[in-house]
Amino acid sequence: MEIVRFEDKYIPGIVSLWNKSIDEDFVYKPFTNESFLDKFIRNPNFDYESTFVAILNCEIVGFANGIYRKTYLPGETFDTIPGYVTMVLVKKELQNKGIGKSLLKKVEDYLAGKGKKEIHIDFFNPINLEWYIPGTNKHDHPNAPGVDVHGKGYGFFKNMGYIERTKEVSMYLNLEKFSIKDEIIEKYKILNEKNITIEYYDSKKHYGLEEFFDNLKNEYWRKEINDNLALPKPYPVLVAVNNKKVIGFTGPIEVQESGRGKFTGIGVDPNYQGYGIGKALFFKLCESFKNEGASFMSIFTGIENYARRMYDAAGFKIVRQWALFKKKFDTKYKEMGDMKNG
């Protein structure tokens, strides 16, 4: 068995390995050669030097990719951005034979050589891997936010020195069963009495969007919403407004090809928390997606996140649990130590 750097000629073999690996523990969507190109090679952060394949008797039996973001949000620098492990995959019949460990070490060596002092496995990885929600007709979620705690990779990474930072849960809602509850309708009335309303954002009517994001201190949401609003035909964005001043947001209302209502985020100005604005926004979001033809929604959130109450109230159910890992090392790194299914 040998481990070599990735070349385009290996794509068919990697795709075959990936698709044959799909089962209840490896729930990712299958690839075609073209979709693999789109997901990995055409990602602006991809590097051939950080991607490896394991070959045995002329067959590709393992694949690994590491990556780091090459563009920064405000306040970020190269030193504050970690490296990421996207995937380490080994043929089922050859797992637990050290192949995954060897692949991971190649990725770690690369990231350490680039000066990265930490490796993370989480949803900030710029390569997002789609997966199918169990028990549905191929309803998908666009990102695996960590390592599936029920998969083989969970114990592996703990054994390889990765520290579990936290857990996330994936939640799912069939929108056919969704409706606005009476208590939420009453909540809208109470908010209206305080001159707080839920509306679609209109730059000619509403003000304070940038100040709102300043108060939230979330540059990712600012970028996502501003990028959407800059489109020739932006998707609608729901906002909570107090006398036309933006004090909350959710959206955009974008229905993906699979029928999924895409959930970017939800936030309320800290000065207006405690009024139930977030819950009012979220129920309106679900209703808007349903009205726009979405058939389902899927989200992930912290296992202890207070917002889970809101998702539970809307009818969401937990369908998967993920662990977010990290591993620290210094730039003098010499010896470290497979990812999912290593």
Side-chain angles (χ1 to χ4, degrees):
M1 192 273 298
E2 63 174 339
I3 293 178
V4 299
R5 291 196 187 274
F6 170 83
E7 297 180 41
D8 287 354
K9 67 181 181 180
Y10 296 128
I11 291 176
I14 296 170
V15 168
S16 176
L17 170 65
W18 186 286
N19 294 346
K20 289 177 181 178
S21 299
I22 295 171
D23 59 18
E24 61 181 12
D25 290 327
F26 191 79
V27 295
Y28 298 95
K29 292 177 66 174
F31 278 119
T32 63
N33 292 352
E34 186 65 21
S35 65
F36 183 91
L37 279 167
D38 282 339
K39 179 60 61 178
F40 285 92
I41 316 305
R42 294 172 183 150
N43 187 297
N45 302 283
F46 175 82
D47 194 330
Y48 282 82
E49 297 297 303
S50 65
T51 309
F52 303 89
V53 295
I55 301 175
L56 179 65
N57 298 326
C58 298
E59 177 190 4
I60 291 178
V61 297
F63 164 72
N65 170 262
I67 199 166
Y68 61 88
R69 283 192 292 113
K70 299 174 182 177
T71 57
Y72 312 144
L73 295 172
E76 291 182 332
T77 66
F78 177 88
D79 290 335
T80 62
I81 295 177
Y84 298 94
V85 175
T86 307
M87 176 59 65
V88 174
L89 176 63
V90 174
K91 185 177 181 180
K92 293 178 183 178
E93 295 81 1
L94 296 175
Q95 290 173 12
N96 302 314
K97 297 182 182 297
I99 297 174
K101 178 180 178 180
S102 298
L103 284 165
L104 180 59
K105 188 175 187 305
K106 291 287 189 181
V107 171
E108 291 174 333
D109 284 344
Y110 167 83
L111 293 172
K114 289 295 183 180
K116 293 303 176 184
K117 298 179 181 179
E118 287 191 5
I119 294 179
H120 289 194
I121 305 172
D122 61 32
F123 49 83
F124 288 114
N125 188 318
I127 292 182
N128 299 324
L129 297 174
E130 296 95 345
W131 55 283
Y132 284 130
I133 297 166
T136 68
N137 185 21
K138 293 187 176 181
H139 287 178
D140 59 355
H141 188 84
N143 189 7
V147 178
D148 186 347
V149 301
H150 299 296
K152 298 176 182 177
Y154 179 67
F156 170 80
F157 276 103
K158 297 186 91 171
N159 290 336
M160 296 305 299
Y162 281 77
I163 305 300
E164 184 176 322
R165 294 162 47 209
T166 187
K167 283 191 172 73
E168 299 270 340
V169 291
S170 291
M171 305 184 74
Y172 169 81
L173 174 66
N174 184 335
L175 284 170
E176 292 180 3
K177 302 176 182 179
F178 176 80
S179 63
I180 297 283
K181 297 181 177 181
D182 290 342
E183 66 178 88
I184 302 300
I185 294 174
E186 186 63 28
K187 173 62 68 178
Y188 292 143
K189 294 178 181 177
I190 294 172
L191 290 174
N192 287 344
E193 292 173 358
K194 300 179 183 294
N195 294 319
I196 297 173
T197 55
I198 309 299
E199 305 176 14
Y200 288 113
Y201 178 72
D202 182 344
S203 61
K204 298 178 181 178
K205 177 181 178 182
H206 305 126
Y207 74 95
L209 186 64
E210 290 302 319
E211 178 185 352
F212 165 71
F213 283 118
D214 288 342
N215 292 340
L216 278 187
K217 295 179 171 56
N218 190 310
E219 295 301 325
Y220 171 77
W221 283 346
R222 187 200 303 268
K223 183 178 186 302
E224 288 290 305
I225 296 304
N226 285 338
D227 286 353
N228 170 68
L229 295 175
L231 294 173
K233 189 177 179 181
Y235 296 101
V237 176
L238 281 167
V239 289
V241 295
N242 183 9
N243 294 320
K244 300 182 181 180
K245 177 185 177 181
V246 176
I247 60 171
F249 97 101
T250 192
I253 312 300
E254 177 184 351
V255 180
Q256 298 176 303
E257 186 177 346
S258 64
R260 176 179 180 262
K262 179 182 178 181
F263 180 62
T264 296
I266 184 168
V268 176
D269 188 308
N271 297 312
Y272 287 85
Q273 291 180 353
Y275 294 102
I277 296 172
K279 194 172 185 179
L281 275 166
F282 189 72
F283 271 74
K284 191 66 175 178
L285 175 73
C286 296
E287 181 184 58
S288 297
F289 274 131
K290 184 174 182 178
N291 291 341
E292 289 295 320
S295 55
F296 72 100
M297 291 175 64
S298 60
I299 60 177
F300 66 85
T301 187
I303 195 168
E304 302 293 341
N305 192 336
Y306 181 82
R308 266 193 58 192
R309 299 185 188 182
M310 178 173 66
Y311 306 143
D312 289 337
F316 280 77
K317 304 297 182 185
I318 294 175
V319 292
R320 218 71 178 178
Q321 188 176 137
W322 312 84
L324 279 59
F325 283 111
K326 72 176 180 181
K327 185 172 185 177
K328 292 185 177 182
F329 55 93
D330 60 35
T331 53
K332 296 179 181 179
Y333 162 96
K334 296 292 182 186
E335 303 228 0
M336 288 183 61
D338 177 19
M339 178 171 164
K340 307 162 188 169
N341 278 1

